[in-house]
Amino acid sequence: MVTPGPPEVPEGLDLAALEEVACEVARAAGRLVVEDRPDDLDVSSKSTRTDVVTEMDQRSQELILAELARRRPDDAVMGEEEGGLSGTSAVTWVVDPIDGTVNYLYGIAHYAVSVAAVVGDPAVPGGWRSVAGAVFEPVSDELFHAHLGGGARLAAGGGVRTLRVIGPTDLGLSLVATGFGYDAAVRARQANALVEVITAVRDVRRQGSAALDLCDVAAGRLDAYYETGLNAWDRAAGQLVATEAGAVLGGRVDDTPDADLTWAAAPGVAAPFADLVRRVTAEHVTRRP
Ligand code: LIP
Protein backbone atom coordinates (compact mmCIF):
# COMPACT_ATOMS: atom_id res chain seq x y z
CA MET A 1 0.00 0.00 0.00
CA VAL A 2 1.55 3.29 -1.08
CA THR A 3 0.82 6.06 1.41
CA PRO A 4 -0.72 9.29 0.02
CA GLY A 5 1.95 12.00 -0.51
CA PRO A 6 2.44 14.51 2.36
CA PRO A 7 0.20 17.57 1.99
CA GLU A 8 1.53 20.84 0.57
CA VAL A 9 2.53 23.54 3.06
CA PRO A 10 0.04 26.42 2.67
CA GLU A 11 1.47 29.61 1.17
CA GLY A 12 2.46 32.22 3.79
CA LEU A 13 2.51 29.89 6.81
CA ASP A 14 5.22 31.32 9.08
CA LEU A 15 7.11 28.15 10.06
CA ALA A 16 9.71 29.94 12.17
CA ALA A 17 6.92 31.50 14.23
CA LEU A 18 5.32 28.06 14.73
CA GLU A 19 8.72 26.74 15.85
CA GLU A 20 8.99 29.51 18.44
CA VAL A 21 5.51 28.66 19.79
CA ALA A 22 6.48 24.97 19.98
CA CYS A 23 9.67 25.86 21.91
CA GLU A 24 7.97 28.13 24.43
CA VAL A 25 5.03 25.79 25.05
CA ALA A 26 7.31 22.74 25.43
CA ARG A 27 9.52 24.62 27.91
CA ALA A 28 6.51 25.74 29.98
CA ALA A 29 5.10 22.20 30.18
CA GLY A 30 8.54 20.76 30.92
CA ARG A 31 9.04 23.13 33.85
CA LEU A 32 5.59 22.18 35.19
CA VAL A 33 6.23 18.41 35.23
CA VAL A 34 9.51 18.93 37.10
CA GLU A 35 8.55 21.72 39.52
CA ASP A 36 4.97 20.62 40.30
CA ARG A 37 5.53 16.88 40.65
CA PRO A 38 3.76 15.87 43.89
CA ASP A 39 5.39 13.40 46.30
CA ASP A 40 2.36 11.11 46.07
CA LEU A 41 2.11 11.09 42.29
CA ASP A 42 -1.26 9.74 41.13
CA VAL A 43 -0.81 6.95 38.55
CA SER A 44 -3.36 4.98 36.50
CA SER A 45 -3.13 2.72 33.47
CA LYS A 46 -4.50 2.76 29.89
CA SER A 47 -4.24 0.02 27.21
CA THR A 48 -2.53 -2.47 29.55
CA ARG A 49 -1.53 -2.36 33.22
CA THR A 50 2.01 -1.39 32.25
CA ASP A 51 0.79 1.46 29.99
CA VAL A 52 0.83 4.12 32.70
CA VAL A 53 -0.40 7.70 32.78
CA THR A 54 0.32 10.04 35.69
CA GLU A 55 -1.59 13.10 36.83
CA MET A 56 1.32 15.18 35.49
CA ASP A 57 0.86 13.79 31.96
CA GLN A 58 -2.71 15.13 32.13
CA ARG A 59 -1.74 18.46 33.74
CA SER A 60 1.03 18.97 31.18
CA GLN A 61 -1.45 18.38 28.36
CA GLU A 62 -3.95 20.80 29.93
CA LEU A 63 -1.26 23.50 30.10
CA ILE A 64 -0.29 22.85 26.45
CA LEU A 65 -3.94 23.01 25.33
CA ALA A 66 -4.52 26.29 27.22
CA GLU A 67 -1.32 27.86 25.85
CA LEU A 68 -2.05 26.83 22.25
CA ALA A 69 -5.70 27.97 22.52
CA ARG A 70 -4.46 31.39 23.71
CA ARG A 71 -1.67 31.75 21.15
CA ARG A 72 -3.11 29.91 18.13
CA PRO A 73 -6.94 29.98 18.65
CA ASP A 74 -7.77 28.71 15.12
CA ASP A 75 -5.53 25.61 15.27
CA ALA A 76 -6.58 22.09 16.26
CA VAL A 77 -4.68 20.08 18.89
CA MET A 78 -4.30 16.28 19.12
CA GLY A 79 -2.62 14.97 22.27
CA GLU A 80 -1.79 11.59 23.80
CA GLU A 81 -3.97 12.15 26.85
CA GLU A 82 -7.61 13.09 27.26
CA GLY A 83 -8.83 16.26 25.61
CA GLY A 84 -8.02 17.99 22.34
CA LEU A 85 -9.17 21.02 20.34
CA SER A 86 -10.82 21.28 16.94
CA GLY A 87 -9.69 24.05 14.60
CA THR A 88 -10.38 25.92 11.37
CA SER A 89 -6.81 26.62 10.23
CA ALA A 90 -4.47 24.35 8.22
CA VAL A 91 -2.38 23.63 11.33
CA THR A 92 -2.88 20.83 13.87
CA TRP A 93 -0.64 20.56 16.93
CA VAL A 94 0.37 16.98 17.79
CA VAL A 95 1.61 16.80 21.36
CA ASP A 96 2.99 14.26 23.82
CA PRO A 97 2.81 15.90 27.28
CA ILE A 98 5.39 13.47 28.70
CA ASP A 99 7.16 11.13 26.30
CA GLY A 100 8.93 8.53 28.40
CA THR A 101 6.26 8.36 31.12
CA VAL A 102 7.69 5.18 32.65
CA ASN A 103 11.06 6.95 33.06
CA TYR A 104 9.23 9.91 34.65
CA LEU A 105 7.41 7.54 37.01
CA TYR A 106 10.71 5.93 38.11
CA GLY A 107 12.54 9.24 38.43
CA ILE A 108 14.82 8.41 35.49
CA ALA A 109 15.81 11.78 34.01
CA HIS A 110 15.17 10.79 30.40
CA TYR A 111 11.74 12.05 29.34
CA ALA A 112 10.52 14.97 27.27
CA VAL A 113 7.64 17.18 26.22
CA SER A 114 7.07 16.91 22.48
CA VAL A 115 5.14 19.62 20.58
CA ALA A 116 4.76 19.56 16.78
CA ALA A 117 2.79 21.64 14.27
CA VAL A 118 1.62 19.54 11.32
CA VAL A 119 -0.36 20.16 8.15
CA GLY A 120 -2.79 17.54 6.85
CA ASP A 121 -4.71 15.04 9.01
CA PRO A 122 -2.60 13.34 11.74
CA ALA A 123 -5.26 10.63 12.00
CA VAL A 124 -4.53 9.45 8.41
CA PRO A 125 -1.45 7.26 7.69
CA GLY A 126 0.90 9.35 5.53
CA GLY A 127 -1.73 12.10 5.36
CA TRP A 128 0.27 14.66 7.35
CA ARG A 129 3.69 16.25 7.67
CA SER A 130 5.45 18.09 10.47
CA VAL A 131 6.33 21.69 9.66
CA ALA A 132 7.66 22.85 13.04
CA GLY A 133 8.47 21.19 16.34
CA ALA A 134 10.27 21.11 19.68
CA VAL A 135 11.33 18.33 22.05
CA PHE A 136 12.25 19.57 25.54
CA GLU A 137 14.10 17.43 28.07
CA PRO A 138 13.49 19.46 31.24
CA VAL A 139 15.96 17.85 33.65
CA SER A 140 18.99 18.45 31.38
CA ASP A 141 17.38 21.65 30.02
CA GLU A 142 17.97 20.48 26.44
CA LEU A 143 15.64 21.88 23.77
CA PHE A 144 15.74 20.29 20.32
CA HIS A 145 13.84 22.25 17.70
CA ALA A 146 13.34 22.70 13.96
CA HIS A 147 11.09 23.91 11.19
CA LEU A 148 10.68 22.48 7.70
CA GLY A 149 13.52 23.68 5.48
CA GLY A 150 15.05 25.65 8.36
CA GLY A 151 17.50 23.10 9.79
CA ALA A 152 17.61 21.68 13.35
CA ARG A 153 19.11 23.09 16.55
CA LEU A 154 19.88 22.10 20.10
CA ALA A 155 19.65 24.83 22.74
CA ALA A 156 21.50 23.76 25.89
CA GLY A 157 23.84 25.19 28.50
CA GLY A 158 23.13 28.76 27.40
CA GLY A 159 24.19 28.08 23.79
CA VAL A 160 22.58 26.89 20.55
CA ARG A 161 24.23 24.46 18.16
CA THR A 162 23.13 23.51 14.65
CA LEU A 163 22.62 19.75 14.35
CA ARG A 164 24.19 18.00 11.34
CA VAL A 165 24.25 14.19 11.17
CA ILE A 166 27.51 12.60 9.99
CA GLY A 167 27.71 9.08 11.41
CA PRO A 168 29.32 5.83 10.28
CA THR A 169 29.31 4.07 6.90
CA ASP A 170 29.48 0.58 8.46
CA LEU A 171 26.25 -0.80 9.98
CA GLY A 172 28.30 -3.14 12.14
CA LEU A 173 29.78 -0.10 13.89
CA SER A 174 26.43 1.61 14.43
CA LEU A 175 24.90 2.35 17.83
CA VAL A 176 21.17 1.66 17.51
CA ALA A 177 18.20 2.41 19.78
CA THR A 178 14.77 0.82 19.83
CA GLY A 179 11.70 0.50 22.04
CA PHE A 180 8.94 -1.88 23.11
CA GLY A 181 5.18 -1.58 23.33
CA TYR A 182 2.94 -2.09 26.37
CA ASP A 183 1.39 -5.38 25.18
CA ALA A 184 3.27 -8.59 26.10
CA ALA A 185 2.59 -10.30 22.74
CA VAL A 186 3.88 -7.25 20.88
CA ARG A 187 6.96 -7.12 23.14
CA ALA A 188 7.70 -10.78 22.37
CA ARG A 189 7.69 -10.06 18.62
CA GLN A 190 9.83 -6.95 19.12
CA ALA A 191 12.30 -8.96 21.22
CA ASN A 192 12.52 -11.63 18.51
CA ALA A 193 13.38 -8.99 15.94
CA LEU A 194 16.04 -7.57 18.24
CA VAL A 195 17.93 -10.89 18.26
CA GLU A 196 18.91 -10.33 14.63
CA VAL A 197 19.48 -6.59 14.96
CA ILE A 198 21.83 -6.88 17.95
CA THR A 199 24.16 -9.21 16.03
CA ALA A 200 24.31 -6.87 13.02
CA VAL A 201 25.24 -3.60 14.80
CA ARG A 202 27.77 -2.21 17.32
CA ASP A 203 25.30 -2.22 20.26
CA VAL A 204 21.71 -1.42 21.22
CA ARG A 205 20.14 1.13 23.58
CA ARG A 206 16.63 1.09 25.06
CA GLN A 207 16.25 4.66 26.40
CA GLY A 208 12.47 4.85 26.79
CA SER A 209 11.49 7.91 24.72
CA ALA A 210 10.95 7.80 20.95
CA ALA A 211 11.05 11.62 20.74
CA LEU A 212 14.49 11.73 22.41
CA ASP A 213 15.77 8.72 20.44
CA LEU A 214 15.00 10.58 17.19
CA CYS A 215 16.67 13.73 18.53
CA ASP A 216 19.71 11.68 19.61
CA VAL A 217 20.09 10.49 16.00
CA ALA A 218 19.99 14.17 14.97
CA ALA A 219 22.67 14.98 17.59
CA GLY A 220 24.93 12.07 16.63
CA ARG A 221 24.47 10.37 20.02
CA LEU A 222 22.91 7.43 18.16
CA ASP A 223 23.56 6.27 14.60
CA ALA A 224 20.11 4.78 14.06
CA TYR A 225 16.75 4.09 15.70
CA TYR A 226 13.72 1.98 14.87
CA GLU A 227 10.44 1.06 16.55
CA THR A 228 7.11 -0.53 15.59
CA GLY A 229 3.77 0.59 17.03
CA LEU A 230 4.51 4.30 17.62
CA ASN A 231 1.75 6.89 17.77
CA ALA A 232 1.93 10.18 15.85
CA TRP A 233 2.49 12.11 19.10
CA ASP A 234 5.59 10.01 20.00
CA ARG A 235 7.42 10.99 16.83
CA ALA A 236 5.90 14.08 15.11
CA ALA A 237 8.46 16.59 16.46
CA GLY A 238 11.45 14.24 16.79
CA GLN A 239 11.21 13.03 13.19
CA LEU A 240 11.32 16.64 11.92
CA VAL A 241 14.40 17.41 14.06
CA ALA A 242 16.12 14.27 12.72
CA THR A 243 15.19 14.98 9.09
CA GLU A 244 16.26 18.63 9.28
CA ALA A 245 19.61 17.50 10.77
CA GLY A 246 20.21 15.35 7.69
CA ALA A 247 19.19 11.91 8.97
CA VAL A 248 17.34 9.56 6.62
CA LEU A 249 13.90 8.43 7.82
CA GLY A 250 11.33 5.96 6.62
CA GLY A 251 8.62 3.43 7.33
CA ARG A 252 7.65 -0.04 6.10
CA VAL A 253 7.42 0.70 2.38
CA ASP A 254 8.77 4.18 1.70
CA ASP A 255 10.26 7.28 3.29
CA THR A 256 7.13 7.92 5.39
CA PRO A 257 7.49 6.80 9.03
CA ASP A 258 4.25 5.43 10.49
CA ALA A 259 2.86 3.29 13.31
CA ASP A 260 3.78 0.16 11.38
CA LEU A 261 7.47 1.04 11.43
CA THR A 262 9.46 4.17 12.13
CA TRP A 263 13.21 4.21 11.47
CA ALA A 264 15.87 6.90 11.29
CA ALA A 265 19.55 6.56 10.46
CA ALA A 266 22.73 8.38 9.55
CA PRO A 267 22.97 8.62 5.71
CA GLY A 268 25.99 6.28 5.51
CA VAL A 269 24.10 3.29 6.97
CA ALA A 270 20.47 4.12 6.07
CA ALA A 271 20.04 1.67 3.19
CA PRO A 272 21.34 -1.50 4.95
CA PHE A 273 19.61 -0.45 8.19
CA ALA A 274 16.25 0.00 6.41
CA ASP A 275 16.60 -3.41 4.77
CA LEU A 276 17.42 -5.01 8.12
CA VAL A 277 14.61 -3.51 10.21
CA ARG A 278 12.00 -3.94 7.47
CA ARG A 279 12.91 -7.61 7.17
CA VAL A 280 13.07 -8.48 10.90
CA THR A 281 9.83 -6.63 11.73
CA ALA A 282 7.88 -7.76 8.66
CA GLU A 283 5.30 -9.67 10.70
CA HIS A 284 4.72 -6.82 13.18
CA VAL A 285 2.12 -5.15 10.97
CA THR A 286 0.16 -2.45 12.84
CA ARG A 287 -2.47 -0.45 10.92
CA ARG A 288 -2.57 2.94 12.73
CA PRO A 289 -1.67 6.55 11.47
C1 LIP B 1 6.88 5.73 24.86
C2 LIP B 1 7.68 5.82 23.60
C3 LIP B 1 8.77 4.73 23.57
C4 LIP B 1 8.13 3.40 23.61
C5 LIP B 1 7.30 3.27 24.86
C6 LIP B 1 6.25 4.39 24.93
P1 LIP B 1 5.09 7.20 26.16
O1 LIP B 1 5.89 6.70 24.84
O2 LIP B 1 8.29 7.07 23.54
O3 LIP B 1 9.56 4.82 22.43
O4 LIP B 1 9.09 2.39 23.55
O5 LIP B 1 6.67 2.03 24.88
O6 LIP B 1 5.32 4.23 23.89
O7 LIP B 1 4.03 6.11 26.46
O8 LIP B 1 6.04 7.32 27.30
O9 LIP B 1 4.47 8.51 25.76
Side-chain angles (χ1 to χ4, degrees):
M1 180 191 81
V2 175
T3 51
E8 290 306 308
V9 179
E11 218 36 61
L13 195 58
D14 185 344
L15 304 185
L18 293 176
E19 181 183 1
E20 201 177 317
V21 170
C23 289
E24 291 168 3
V25 170
R27 273 195 189 284
R31 278 195 294 274
L32 175 87
V33 300
V34 171
E35 292 163 9
D36 279 27
R37 179 190 173 124
D39 297 338
D40 57 345
L41 181 70
D42 184 46
V43 182
S44 51
S45 61
K46 300 188 289 186
S47 61
T48 70
R49 63 196 189 102
T50 60
D51 181 4
V52 292
V53 56
T54 75
E55 63 185 284
M56 294 311 291
D57 292 78
Q58 195 59 49
R59 285 188 55 197
S60 172
Q61 180 153 320
E62 283 155 15
L63 179 150
I64 294 169
L65 287 175
E67 271 303 300
L68 291 173
R70 184 174 66 78
R71 305 171 72 141
R72 301 277 312 180
D74 301 333
D75 298 351
V77 183
M78 180 178 97
E80 174 171 5
E81 309 308 344
E82 271 156 43
L85 296 171
S86 58
T88 55
S89 77
V91 173
T92 297
W93 295 87
V94 178
V95 305
D96 192 333
I98 302 180
D99 188 51
T101 299
V102 173
N103 285 348
Y104 180 76
L105 176 64
Y106 280 81
I108 299 168
H110 192 78
Y111 54 84
V113 177
S114 175
V115 177
V118 313
V119 293
D121 183 352
V124 176
W128 58 279
R129 71 185 320 173
S130 304
V131 293
V135 175
F136 181 52
E137 191 181 15
V139 178
S140 63
D141 193 32
E142 289 196 331
L143 179 69
F144 299 89
H145 55 102
H147 72 263
L148 192 64
R153 287 154 291 285
L154 168 56
V160 178
R161 87 176 159 96
T162 298
L163 300 175
R164 201 78 223 136
V165 176
I166 302 168
T169 55
D170 179 347
L171 185 59
L173 293 178
S174 297
L175 185 62
V176 171
T178 191
F180 305 92
Y182 290 118
D183 177 277
V186 171
R187 297 166 76 80
R189 289 200 297 270
Q190 292 169 319
N192 286 337
L194 188 55
V195 172
E196 268 205 69
V197 172
I198 205 162
T199 58
V201 302
R202 175 194 294 275
D203 202 349
V204 168
R205 296 288 179 270
R206 197 300 190 238
Q207 307 191 123
S209 162
L212 290 172
D213 286 338
L214 289 161
C215 290
D216 283 344
V217 172
R221 296 168 181 170
L222 293 169
D223 300 312
Y225 161 73
Y226 77 100
E227 189 159 354
T228 57
L230 287 180
N231 295 288
W233 47 73
D234 294 317
R235 58 189 167 80
Q239 68 188 41
L240 180 67
V241 170
T243 305
E244 286 295 321
V248 179
L249 276 75
R252 169 89 37 223
V253 289
D254 55 24
D255 58 5
T256 305
D258 66 18
D260 190 359
L261 175 65
T262 292
W263 60 269
V269 294
F273 183 68
D275 291 348
L276 172 68
V277 295
R278 283 172 174 158
R279 180 170 54 76
V280 300
T281 65
E283 39 88 31
H284 296 202
V285 174
T286 311
R287 284 281 163 260
R288 254 208 334 268

